[in-house]
Amino acid sequence: NLENNNLRESGIKSSMFKNIRILNLNLNIIEVLKFEMFSQAFGVEDLFLSQNRINFIENRTFSNMKILSKLDLSQNRIDKNLN
């Protein structure tokens, strides 16, 4: 549980999540989600990212997370890009 730890994307390394099933990153200060952050998070089924400052999600960010079944991005700053 990494909830409410003032984590930024620079402090998140994919190798930290290799054997994690439920990953709680709620209430941090993450602004951007990148592929490298979750590229080795193969076993994560539930990912909680609510109440951060997320405003951009890179293409393929969750592509290696084949068994991801629950993703919570609520209460962030995500805006739909129409380009």
Side-chain angles (χ1 to χ4, degrees), residues 3-73:
E3 181 177 32
N4 201 17
N5 278 292
N6 290 319
L7 289 176
R8 297 180 182 273
E9 49 274 6
S10 60
I12 298 173
K13 306 294 181 220
S14 182
S15 58
M16 298 166 50
F17 312 132
K18 283 184 179 181
N19 299 311
I20 303 284
R21 206 178 100 246
I22 299 171
L23 179 54
N24 185 346
L25 291 167
N26 291 338
L27 296 163
N28 282 290
I29 49 177
I30 301 165
E31 295 181 14
V32 176
L33 296 180
K34 298 180 179 183
F35 171 75
E36 298 83 35
M37 295 167 68
F38 303 104
S39 64
Q40 296 180 43
F42 308 114
V44 173
E45 294 177 34
D46 300 336
L47 177 56
F48 300 95
L49 289 159
S50 71
Q51 299 182 54
N52 278 279
R53 298 177 184 171
I54 300 167
N55 59 49
F56 182 77
I57 302 173
E58 186 178 87
N59 287 340
R60 300 179 351 118
T61 295
F62 309 112
S63 62
N64 281 358
M65 301 174 80
K66 304 297 184 196
I67 62 172
L68 182 65
S69 61
K70 185 174 195 172
L71 175 62
D72 183 358
L73 292 167

